[in-house]
Amino acid sequence: MIFSDYFYNFAQTDDNINHKHSITMKKLFTLLALALFALTACESNETPQEPVDTTTDIEVLTETPLTVAYQGGRTMVMFNIKNPIEGVNVTAFCNAFWVKDVAASDGVVVFVADRNTSDHRREGVLTIKYGDIEKYVGLSQEFRPEGEYDYDMTATVFGGEYYGNDGEDNYNYYVQLGNGEIDEFNDEANATYYYFDIYANRRGGDHPILPNGTYTLDRNNSCKIGTFTAESSKAHFNDGDGQPEESFEMTSGTVTVTDSKFEAIVTMSDGTMHRIVYEGELYVPSVVNSPDYGSKLTEDYTFELPIGYLRLFYYGDEYGIGADYWSIALMEDSTAMSGDYFQIKILTDSCDDMSYESLAGVYTPCSDLAPQKNCFLQGLLEGSMYIGSQYYVVNMGFIDNYLGAPIYDGQIEITVDGNNIDVTLDCMDDNGHKIQGTFSSAGIELYDRRGR
């Protein structure tokens, strides 16, 4: 029994040991599982790390394509360099002719755009370069909306000077207008002045009014009828001291004159467009000093030219009264090198008729400032230029300025028989002397001067 008890006790003790070992192992595994769980839980709550981008690049920060206003001017494009490289600088250039002065510095490209004076949008590409990297920025420049002007002024004053005939039946009106007093200096503080050197086909007379018509800027300064010269046409804005603060040269444009209204639309050398309007009497004070009369005759003059030569110059409805205007040269010498030379300027009662027969009729005097049908234009001297119908004497191809006279009053009769044209003068000069005689054609030359 003792042995059995011992054996039982021993066995019981071993079981106890195994049982305790088993409990210990279970605790160990449990602790290990808890540790692994805790470790796993910690790792799952962390954000995964993104890989670092070390690529160098140009980031354009300005919205593209970039729209540039038609006025042009200084424009900026913002950018950023990612991962800059030591010793590498940014450069920039543009392929558009209207983009100038391109410069790149820290984070910005600056350029100057010309004003767009065309009637269409224009494009270009700005290139930003950093080492071997290039970024392209599209550029698009607007064009000026129709009817929009950089300067739109209603002038309050109008004046200038009338210089008379320039020798080619082109009468010079030097127009000045603006919003300040007009005098020899035009130096009113903060005033604006515009100048137009205009050539018209109408004489100013004692009270010169700028004639109706359309006048175009002439960069060749030819002084032709229907133009104004670029050389003497300009504008300036005065500062507070009355000195020109900003000046403009005209490069193109037109002036339109209607009854009591002047309107000019001109483009300046800087590309700005100006509109100037004035409404009121278009009076241009005269600076032409004319003698009381232009005749060099000291007594009545009678002539008889049974054989002479005619040159007929046809201008159509030059005066807009529904009658043809003719200038008729009556020459004693067919080459106009010597002898008597009459220049008769008439308005017939027909229109658009270039035939010899249309010349037949009796003509009485009228002023070129108030033309009428069936009249001859009165001769006179304005300044140093003879106007209208005249009697000259030619020596060696030159007019003798000590002889001759304006044909001012009386009657001129023209008869036509086929190719034979007779002209009879029963007239007076501008100093009361008679000019009388008959001229018969031996040869006729005809020239069409419409649209000259």
Side-chain angles (χ1 to χ4, degrees):
M1 291 296 294
I2 295 173
F3 177 79
S4 299
D5 291 338
Y6 174 80
F7 180 78
Y8 173 80
N9 290 333
F10 176 79
Q12 186 179 32
T13 301
D14 188 54
D15 287 341
N16 288 337
I17 293 172
N18 290 336
H19 178 69
K20 290 180 179 179
H21 178 72
S22 175
I23 292 173
T24 301
M25 291 301 293
K26 287 180 180 180
K27 289 182 178 180
L28 180 61
F29 284 126
T30 299
L31 292 173
L32 182 60
L34 289 172
L36 290 173
F37 175 78
L39 180 61
T40 303
C42 291
E43 289 181 353
S44 64
N45 288 333
E46 293 182 359
T47 302
Q49 294 294 318
E50 293 288 340
V52 177
D53 184 3
T54 59
T55 304
T56 300
D57 198 8
I58 304 170
E59 292 180 317
V60 177
L61 305 179
T62 299
E63 183 178 353
T64 59
L66 176 62
T67 300
V68 181
Y70 78 85
Q71 294 93 336
R74 189 171 182 268
T75 306
M76 293 187 295
V77 175
M78 310 301 294
F79 67 91
N80 178 54
I81 301 297
K82 291 177 57 179
N83 300 313
I85 303 170
E86 186 176 353
V88 177
N89 296 319
V90 176
T91 58
F93 57 91
C94 185
N95 67 343
F97 71 91
W98 49 273
V99 173
K100 296 179 174 61
D101 301 330
V102 181
S105 58
D106 294 338
V108 62
V109 173
V110 179
F111 63 87
V112 176
D114 290 341
R115 178 180 297 272
N116 187 359
T117 58
S118 71
D119 59 357
H120 59 274
R121 182 181 291 270
R122 54 189 184 183
E123 312 292 334
V125 175
L126 175 71
T127 301
I128 304 174
K129 186 176 178 62
Y130 186 73
D132 295 330
I133 304 168
E134 291 185 351
K135 278 294 173 70
Y136 306 103
V137 178
L139 304 178
S140 180
Q141 188 176 32
E142 299 171 334
F143 59 92
R144 182 195 310 274
E146 185 176 356
E148 183 171 324
Y149 308 100
D150 298 287
Y151 299 93
D152 196 347
M153 187 185 77
T154 299
T156 56
V157 292
F158 185 95
E161 299 165 343
Y162 168 66
Y163 288 99
N165 191 338
D166 196 40
E168 297 290 339
D169 286 339
N170 51 342
Y171 299 92
N172 184 204
Y173 297 77
Y174 190 63
V175 170
Q176 303 175 37
L177 67 164
N179 57 9
E181 181 183 0
I182 291 177
D183 56 26
E184 60 180 317
F185 302 109
N186 287 349
D187 57 357
E188 184 171 323
N190 301 312
T192 298
Y193 294 96
Y194 289 89
Y195 305 79
F196 297 88
D197 184 37
I198 294 174
Y199 288 83
N201 63 349
R202 297 289 182 273
R203 188 171 60 88
D206 296 331
H207 189 81
I209 300 294
L210 181 63
N212 289 354
T214 299
Y215 305 93
T216 305
L217 183 75
D218 179 11
R219 300 185 70 173
N220 294 322
N221 307 307
S222 66
C223 305
K224 291 182 179 179
I225 293 171
T227 68
F228 60 101
T229 67
E231 182 179 30
S232 300
S233 301
K234 59 183 180 180
H236 64 81
F237 296 172
N238 287 353
D239 60 19
D241 296 323
Q243 299 301 310
E245 179 179 43
E246 191 170 7
S247 299
F248 301 92
E249 294 181 359
M250 300 181 185
T251 57
S252 65
T254 58
V255 170
T256 303
V257 179
T258 53
D259 291 340
S260 301
K261 183 176 181 180
F262 176 102
E263 181 176 12
I265 298 175
V266 292
T267 301
M268 302 298 185
S269 56
D270 66 346
T272 56
M273 184 173 286
H274 299 230
R275 177 176 179 262
I276 311 98
V277 176
Y278 177 83
E279 294 194 57
E281 186 182 42
L282 303 182
Y283 171 58
V284 182
S286 175
V287 297
V288 178
N289 295 316
S290 301
D292 293 334
Y293 57 88
S295 178
K296 302 300 190 297
L297 295 178
T298 57
E299 58 184 5
D300 295 343
Y301 178 66
T302 301
F303 66 90
E304 188 71 33
L305 293 175
I307 298 178
Y309 302 88
L310 270 72
R311 285 178 182 166
L312 307 177
F313 301 92
Y314 175 72
Y315 293 89
D317 190 11
E318 175 81 3
Y319 285 85
I321 63 171
D324 287 330
Y325 167 58
W326 294 76
S327 179
I328 303 173
L330 316 177
M331 303 176 295
E332 184 177 358
D333 177 6
S334 63
T335 61
M337 293 296 291
S338 63
D340 286 347
Y341 184 105
F342 294 86
Q343 188 174 48
I344 310 299
K345 298 184 177 183
I346 65 170
L347 290 160
T348 67
D349 62 358
S350 60
C351 191
D352 296 327
D353 187 352
M354 200 173 165
S355 67
Y356 294 166
E357 289 75 14
S358 69
L359 298 172
V362 176
Y363 299 89
T364 54
C366 69
S367 169
D368 60 317
L369 301 178
Q372 304 170 15
K373 294 181 179 181
N374 293 313
C375 85
F376 71 86
L377 300 184
Q378 291 174 308
L380 55 89
L381 179 64
E382 183 180 78
S384 60
M385 293 294 175
Y386 287 93
I387 310 298
S389 301
Q390 302 286 335
Y391 159 57
Y392 300 107
V393 177
V394 179
N395 287 320
M396 300 182 66
F398 294 95
I399 292 174
D400 190 334
N401 292 320
Y402 296 97
L403 299 172
I407 303 172
Y408 183 76
D409 202 356
Q411 174 181 293
I412 298 175
E413 182 177 2
I414 299 178
T415 60
V416 180
D417 181 12
N419 290 331
N420 296 317
I421 298 177
D422 293 339
V423 182
T424 301
L425 279 69
D426 185 10
C427 299
M428 297 179 65
D429 67 10
D430 60 348
N431 196 28
H433 300 111
K434 293 180 181 180
I435 302 175
Q436 297 174 316
T438 300
F439 183 98
S440 297
S441 63
I444 302 173
E445 300 174 17
L446 176 60
Y447 301 91
D448 187 351
R449 288 297 181 86
R450 288 172 294 182
R452 66 193 189 285

